[in-house]
Amino acid sequence: MSHIVNGAKAGLETIGSEPIVIRTECREQTVALGRRIGTRLTRGAIVCLDGDLGAGKTALTAGLAEGIGCRGPVSSPTFTLLVEHDAGPDGLPLYHFDVYRLSGEDDFLDLGFDEYLSGDGVCVIEWSSRIRPVLPTDCLQIELTLSDPARPDERIITVRWPGQASWLREIAREEREGKPC
Ligand code: ADP
Ligand code: MG
C-alpha cells in the first residue's frame, strides 16, 4: 500500500491550494495512483507532470490512461513529442506529450499543440514546466521525486489542483484506506 505523507512535514509550498503528498514504493503503486486519478478526469482536463528522468511520469501516465479509458498501451513519447490514444468504448482520448526536447513554449505553439489543450480529451504533459507560460493556471499538477538514494523504488508524489481541494482529499482518503482502484 502507498502512504500519505504529511504535507507540512515535507516542507511543501501550499500557497493557492493544499496539495496531497503520497509515497509509493514500487511502479505498480504509482500506476494505481494514476488509475485512481484518471477515473475522475473529464474532457478538457490538463495534467502537468514534472520530475527528473526516471521519476515515474510515464508510469503514472499508464495508470491515468487506464482510468481515463483510452486505448493503450502507453509508452514514452520522448522522441515523437506527442502520442495520441483514441478513446475506448466509454472513455476519453488521451494526448500524451513529452516536451523535454522543446526549447520552450514557442516551440509548442509553433507545432500547433496548444489546440489540444482545448480539445475533446485529456492532455497529459511530461516536463510541463518547460512550457508553463502557455498552460492555464487551473491544471492538475503532479510532481514526482526520488527522495532517498537508499530507496531506489520510492517516489514522493505531490498532487495539486487549485480549486479542487475536496477532490484531492477524496483521493488521499482512498489511498489511505487502500481502496482498490
Ligand atoms: P519518467 O517518465 O519520469 O522518465 P518512467 O516512468 O519512464 O519515468 O520510468 C520510471 C522507472 O522507475 C521505471 O523503470 C519504473 O519501473 C521505475 N520505478 C521504480 N519504483 C517506481 C515507483 N515507485 N514509481 C514509478 N516508477 C518506479
Ligand atoms: Mg517519461
Side-chain angles (χ1 to χ4, degrees), residues 24-27 30 51-60 76 126 152-155:
T24 65
E25 292 172 338
C26 63
R27 181 183 185 278
T30 298
D52 288 340
L53 203 64
K57 299 180 294 300
T58 300
L60 189 87
S76 180
E126 297 194 33
D153 292 342
E154 182 178 286
R155 302 290 186 274

PDB file of all heavy atoms in Angstrom, residues 24-27 30 51-60 76 126 152-155, ligand 1:
ATOM      1  N   THR A  24       4.961   6.282  -2.916  1.00  0.00           N
ATOM      2  CA  THR A  24       4.775   4.945  -3.478  1.00  0.00           C
ATOM      3  C   THR A  24       6.094   4.179  -3.367  1.00  0.00           C
ATOM      4  O   THR A  24       7.166   4.778  -3.320  1.00  0.00           O
ATOM      5  CB  THR A  24       4.305   4.981  -4.947  1.00  0.00           C
ATOM      6  OG1 THR A  24       5.327   5.569  -5.773  1.00  0.00           O
ATOM      7  CG2 THR A  24       3.021   5.781  -5.096  1.00  0.00           C
ATOM      8  N   GLU A  25       5.979   2.869  -3.315  1.00  0.00           N
ATOM      9  CA  GLU A  25       7.169   2.041  -3.083  1.00  0.00           C
ATOM     10  C   GLU A  25       7.486   1.093  -4.229  1.00  0.00           C
ATOM     11  O   GLU A  25       8.386   0.267  -4.121  1.00  0.00           O
ATOM     12  CB  GLU A  25       6.987   1.268  -1.772  1.00  0.00           C
ATOM     13  CG  GLU A  25       6.998   2.223  -0.585  1.00  0.00           C
ATOM     14  CD  GLU A  25       6.622   1.565   0.727  1.00  0.00           C
ATOM     15  OE1 GLU A  25       5.955   0.514   0.679  1.00  0.00           O
ATOM     16  OE2 GLU A  25       6.988   2.123   1.765  1.00  0.00           O
ATOM     17  N   CYS A  26       6.723   1.191  -5.294  1.00  0.00           N
ATOM     18  CA  CYS A  26       7.019   0.404  -6.495  1.00  0.00           C
ATOM     19  C   CYS A  26       6.241   1.015  -7.662  1.00  0.00           C
ATOM     20  O   CYS A  26       5.324   1.817  -7.467  1.00  0.00           O
ATOM     21  CB  CYS A  26       6.622  -1.063  -6.322  1.00  0.00           C
ATOM     22  SG  CYS A  26       4.863  -1.288  -6.067  1.00  0.00           S
ATOM     23  N   ARG A  27       6.630   0.607  -8.867  1.00  0.00           N
ATOM     24  CA  ARG A  27       5.981   1.156 -10.057  1.00  0.00           C
ATOM     25  C   ARG A  27       4.473   0.920 -10.018  1.00  0.00           C
ATOM     26  O   ARG A  27       3.692   1.812 -10.361  1.00  0.00           O
ATOM     27  CB  ARG A  27       6.601   0.509 -11.306  1.00  0.00           C
ATOM     28  CG  ARG A  27       6.013   1.037 -12.601  1.00  0.00           C
ATOM     29  CD  ARG A  27       6.592   0.336 -13.819  1.00  0.00           C
ATOM     30  NE  ARG A  27       6.083   0.950 -15.042  1.00  0.00           N
ATOM     31  CZ  ARG A  27       4.917   0.668 -15.588  1.00  0.00           C
ATOM     32  NH1 ARG A  27       4.118  -0.239 -15.023  1.00  0.00           N
ATOM     33  NH2 ARG A  27       4.518   1.288 -16.688  1.00  0.00           N
ATOM     34  N   THR A  30       2.457   3.448  -8.247  1.00  0.00           N
ATOM     35  CA  THR A  30       2.349   4.712  -8.981  1.00  0.00           C
ATOM     36  C   THR A  30       1.320   4.578 -10.104  1.00  0.00           C
ATOM     37  O   THR A  30       0.512   5.486 -10.333  1.00  0.00           O
ATOM     38  CB  THR A  30       3.730   5.123  -9.528  1.00  0.00           C
ATOM     39  OG1 THR A  30       4.609   5.319  -8.414  1.00  0.00           O
ATOM     40  CG2 THR A  30       3.667   6.401 -10.342  1.00  0.00           C
ATOM     41  N   GLY A  51       9.275  16.188 -12.892  1.00  0.00           N
ATOM     42  CA  GLY A  51      10.155  15.315 -12.112  1.00  0.00           C
ATOM     43  C   GLY A  51      11.254  14.819 -13.026  1.00  0.00           C
ATOM     44  O   GLY A  51      11.077  14.759 -14.243  1.00  0.00           O
ATOM     45  N   ASP A  52      12.374  14.436 -12.428  1.00  0.00           N
ATOM     46  CA  ASP A  52      13.543  14.041 -13.213  1.00  0.00           C
ATOM     47  C   ASP A  52      13.290  12.814 -14.078  1.00  0.00           C
ATOM     48  O   ASP A  52      12.294  12.110 -13.895  1.00  0.00           O
ATOM     49  CB  ASP A  52      14.712  13.739 -12.262  1.00  0.00           C
ATOM     50  CG  ASP A  52      15.262  15.018 -11.653  1.00  0.00           C
ATOM     51  OD1 ASP A  52      15.014  16.099 -12.219  1.00  0.00           O
ATOM     52  OD2 ASP A  52      15.913  14.922 -10.594  1.00  0.00           O
ATOM     53  N   LEU A  53      14.235  12.570 -14.962  1.00  0.00           N
ATOM     54  CA  LEU A  53      14.211  11.364 -15.782  1.00  0.00           C
ATOM     55  C   LEU A  53      14.138  10.142 -14.847  1.00  0.00           C
ATOM     56  O   LEU A  53      14.878  10.066 -13.881  1.00  0.00           O
ATOM     57  CB  LEU A  53      15.516  11.315 -16.594  1.00  0.00           C
ATOM     58  CG  LEU A  53      15.516  10.502 -17.859  1.00  0.00           C
ATOM     59  CD1 LEU A  53      14.544  11.103 -18.873  1.00  0.00           C
ATOM     60  CD2 LEU A  53      16.923  10.454 -18.443  1.00  0.00           C
ATOM     61  N   GLY A  54      13.217   9.235 -15.139  1.00  0.00           N
ATOM     62  CA  GLY A  54      13.076   8.027 -14.322  1.00  0.00           C
ATOM     63  C   GLY A  54      12.247   8.230 -13.068  1.00  0.00           C
ATOM     64  O   GLY A  54      12.109   7.317 -12.247  1.00  0.00           O
ATOM     65  N   ALA A  55      11.666   9.411 -12.904  1.00  0.00           N
ATOM     66  CA  ALA A  55      10.884   9.677 -11.700  1.00  0.00           C
ATOM     67  C   ALA A  55       9.563   8.898 -11.700  1.00  0.00           C
ATOM     68  O   ALA A  55       8.983   8.645 -10.638  1.00  0.00           O
ATOM     69  CB  ALA A  55      10.609  11.175 -11.567  1.00  0.00           C
ATOM     70  N   GLY A  56       9.069   8.548 -12.895  1.00  0.00           N
ATOM     71  CA  GLY A  56       7.817   7.788 -12.954  1.00  0.00           C
ATOM     72  C   GLY A  56       6.688   8.513 -13.666  1.00  0.00           C
ATOM     73  O   GLY A  56       5.517   8.124 -13.543  1.00  0.00           O
ATOM     74  N   LYS A  57       7.019   9.536 -14.441  1.00  0.00           N
ATOM     75  CA  LYS A  57       5.967  10.302 -15.137  1.00  0.00           C
ATOM     76  C   LYS A  57       5.220   9.412 -16.137  1.00  0.00           C
ATOM     77  O   LYS A  57       3.995   9.446 -16.220  1.00  0.00           O
ATOM     78  CB  LYS A  57       6.589  11.508 -15.873  1.00  0.00           C
ATOM     79  CG  LYS A  57       7.304  12.491 -14.935  1.00  0.00           C
ATOM     80  CD  LYS A  57       7.907  13.672 -15.683  1.00  0.00           C
ATOM     81  CE  LYS A  57       9.036  13.348 -16.626  1.00  0.00           C
ATOM     82  NZ  LYS A  57      10.223  12.723 -15.996  1.00  0.00           N
ATOM     83  N   THR A  58       5.983   8.614 -16.890  1.00  0.00           N
ATOM     84  CA  THR A  58       5.331   7.745 -17.878  1.00  0.00           C
ATOM     85  C   THR A  58       4.568   6.615 -17.183  1.00  0.00           C
ATOM     86  O   THR A  58       3.470   6.226 -17.625  1.00  0.00           O
ATOM     87  CB  THR A  58       6.378   7.190 -18.876  1.00  0.00           C
ATOM     88  OG1 THR A  58       7.002   8.309 -19.532  1.00  0.00           O
ATOM     89  CG2 THR A  58       5.730   6.317 -19.927  1.00  0.00           C
ATOM     90  N   ALA A  59       5.117   6.109 -16.091  1.00  0.00           N
ATOM     91  CA  ALA A  59       4.406   5.068 -15.331  1.00  0.00           C
ATOM     92  C   ALA A  59       3.063   5.606 -14.833  1.00  0.00           C
ATOM     93  O   ALA A  59       2.018   4.948 -14.956  1.00  0.00           O
ATOM     94  CB  ALA A  59       5.265   4.608 -14.154  1.00  0.00           C
ATOM     95  N   LEU A  60       3.075   6.807 -14.291  1.00  0.00           N
ATOM     96  CA  LEU A  60       1.828   7.406 -13.809  1.00  0.00           C
ATOM     97  C   LEU A  60       0.850   7.593 -14.972  1.00  0.00           C
ATOM     98  O   LEU A  60      -0.356   7.369 -14.834  1.00  0.00           O
ATOM     99  CB  LEU A  60       2.115   8.747 -13.131  1.00  0.00           C
ATOM    100  CG  LEU A  60       0.915   9.337 -12.412  1.00  0.00           C
ATOM    101  CD1 LEU A  60       0.820   8.807 -10.985  1.00  0.00           C
ATOM    102  CD2 LEU A  60       0.953  10.849 -12.368  1.00  0.00           C
ATOM    103  N   SER A  76       6.743   6.006 -23.669  1.00  0.00           N
ATOM    104  CA  SER A  76       7.232   7.381 -23.599  1.00  0.00           C
ATOM    105  C   SER A  76       7.248   8.061 -24.967  1.00  0.00           C
ATOM    106  O   SER A  76       7.791   7.520 -25.923  1.00  0.00           O
ATOM    107  CB  SER A  76       8.643   7.380 -23.015  1.00  0.00           C
ATOM    108  OG  SER A  76       9.087   8.702 -22.956  1.00  0.00           O
ATOM    109  N   GLU A 126       4.337  15.588 -19.944  1.00  0.00           N
ATOM    110  CA  GLU A 126       5.559  15.341 -19.173  1.00  0.00           C
ATOM    111  C   GLU A 126       6.514  16.523 -19.378  1.00  0.00           C
ATOM    112  O   GLU A 126       6.615  17.058 -20.459  1.00  0.00           O
ATOM    113  CB  GLU A 126       6.234  14.040 -19.635  1.00  0.00           C
ATOM    114  CG  GLU A 126       5.359  12.818 -19.404  1.00  0.00           C
ATOM    115  CD  GLU A 126       6.119  11.497 -19.527  1.00  0.00           C
ATOM    116  OE1 GLU A 126       7.311  11.449 -19.174  1.00  0.00           O
ATOM    117  OE2 GLU A 126       5.498  10.515 -19.968  1.00  0.00           O
ATOM    118  N   PRO A 152      15.637   3.142  -3.948  1.00  0.00           N
ATOM    119  CA  PRO A 152      15.500   3.495  -5.369  1.00  0.00           C
ATOM    120  C   PRO A 152      14.093   3.313  -5.925  1.00  0.00           C
ATOM    121  O   PRO A 152      13.779   3.871  -6.978  1.00  0.00           O
ATOM    122  CB  PRO A 152      16.504   2.561  -6.061  1.00  0.00           C
ATOM    123  CG  PRO A 152      16.781   1.471  -5.082  1.00  0.00           C
ATOM    124  CD  PRO A 152      16.585   2.039  -3.721  1.00  0.00           C
ATOM    125  N   ASP A 153      13.244   2.558  -5.238  1.00  0.00           N
ATOM    126  CA  ASP A 153      11.881   2.355  -5.739  1.00  0.00           C
ATOM    127  C   ASP A 153      10.859   3.253  -5.036  1.00  0.00           C
ATOM    128  O   ASP A 153       9.660   3.105  -5.240  1.00  0.00           O
ATOM    129  CB  ASP A 153      11.465   0.882  -5.579  1.00  0.00           C
ATOM    130  CG  ASP A 153      12.271  -0.015  -6.506  1.00  0.00           C
ATOM    131  OD1 ASP A 153      12.874   0.510  -7.477  1.00  0.00           O
ATOM    132  OD2 ASP A 153      12.323  -1.233  -6.249  1.00  0.00           O
ATOM    133  N   GLU A 154      11.334   4.155  -4.213  1.00  0.00           N
ATOM    134  CA  GLU A 154      10.399   5.044  -3.513  1.00  0.00           C
ATOM    135  C   GLU A 154      10.247   6.350  -4.287  1.00  0.00           C
ATOM    136  O   GLU A 154      11.230   6.925  -4.764  1.00  0.00           O
ATOM    137  CB  GLU A 154      10.926   5.343  -2.108  1.00  0.00           C
ATOM    138  CG  GLU A 154       9.981   6.220  -1.318  1.00  0.00           C
ATOM    139  CD  GLU A 154      10.514   6.461   0.088  1.00  0.00           C
ATOM    140  OE1 GLU A 154      10.450   5.544   0.910  1.00  0.00           O
ATOM    141  OE2 GLU A 154      11.002   7.582   0.336  1.00  0.00           O
ATOM    142  N   ARG A 155       9.019   6.803  -4.407  1.00  0.00           N
ATOM    143  CA  ARG A 155       8.740   8.089  -5.054  1.00  0.00           C
ATOM    144  C   ARG A 155       7.833   8.900  -4.135  1.00  0.00           C
ATOM    145  O   ARG A 155       6.898   8.363  -3.547  1.00  0.00           O
ATOM    146  CB  ARG A 155       8.002   7.899  -6.390  1.00  0.00           C
ATOM    147  CG  ARG A 155       8.737   7.037  -7.397  1.00  0.00           C
ATOM    148  CD  ARG A 155       9.983   7.732  -7.950  1.00  0.00           C
ATOM    149  NE  ARG A 155      10.603   6.954  -9.016  1.00  0.00           N
ATOM    150  CZ  ARG A 155      11.495   5.978  -8.828  1.00  0.00           C
ATOM    151  NH1 ARG A 155      11.887   5.653  -7.606  1.00  0.00           N
ATOM    152  NH2 ARG A 155      12.007   5.329  -9.862  1.00  0.00           N
TER     153      ARG A 155
HETATM  154  P1  ADP B   1       9.901   9.169 -16.440  1.00  0.00           P
HETATM  155  O1  ADP B   1       8.772   9.155 -17.434  1.00  0.00           O
HETATM  156  O2  ADP B   1       9.653  10.129 -15.298  1.00  0.00           O
HETATM  157  O3  ADP B   1      11.236   9.397 -17.067  1.00  0.00           O
HETATM  158  P2  ADP B   1       9.390   6.329 -16.257  1.00  0.00           P
HETATM  159  O4  ADP B   1       8.002   6.155 -15.785  1.00  0.00           O
HETATM  160  O5  ADP B   1       9.667   6.146 -17.718  1.00  0.00           O
HETATM  161  O6  ADP B   1       9.956   7.746 -15.744  1.00  0.00           O
HETATM  162  O7  ADP B   1      10.354   5.330 -15.503  1.00  0.00           O
HETATM  163  C1  ADP B   1      10.302   5.106 -14.126  1.00  0.00           C
HETATM  164  C2  ADP B   1      11.234   3.960 -13.820  1.00  0.00           C
HETATM  165  O8  ADP B   1      11.371   3.798 -12.419  1.00  0.00           O
HETATM  166  C3  ADP B   1      10.679   2.635 -14.348  1.00  0.00           C
HETATM  167  O9  ADP B   1      11.765   1.836 -14.771  1.00  0.00           O
HETATM  168  C4  ADP B   1       9.994   2.028 -13.133  1.00  0.00           C
HETATM  169  O10 ADP B   1       9.944   0.613 -13.172  1.00  0.00           O
HETATM  170  C5  ADP B   1      10.927   2.509 -12.023  1.00  0.00           C
HETATM  171  N1  ADP B   1      10.273   2.649 -10.700  1.00  0.00           N
HETATM  172  C6  ADP B   1      10.763   2.134  -9.535  1.00  0.00           C
HETATM  173  N2  ADP B   1       9.987   2.475  -8.492  1.00  0.00           N
HETATM  174  C7  ADP B   1       8.976   3.236  -9.010  1.00  0.00           C
HETATM  175  C8  ADP B   1       7.856   3.899  -8.408  1.00  0.00           C
HETATM  176  N3  ADP B   1       7.618   3.885  -7.079  1.00  0.00           N
HETATM  177  N4  ADP B   1       7.025   4.579  -9.227  1.00  0.00           N
HETATM  178  C9  ADP B   1       7.270   4.646 -10.566  1.00  0.00           C
HETATM  179  N5  ADP B   1       8.314   4.045 -11.186  1.00  0.00           N
HETATM  180  C10 ADP B   1       9.161   3.348 -10.414  1.00  0.00           C
END
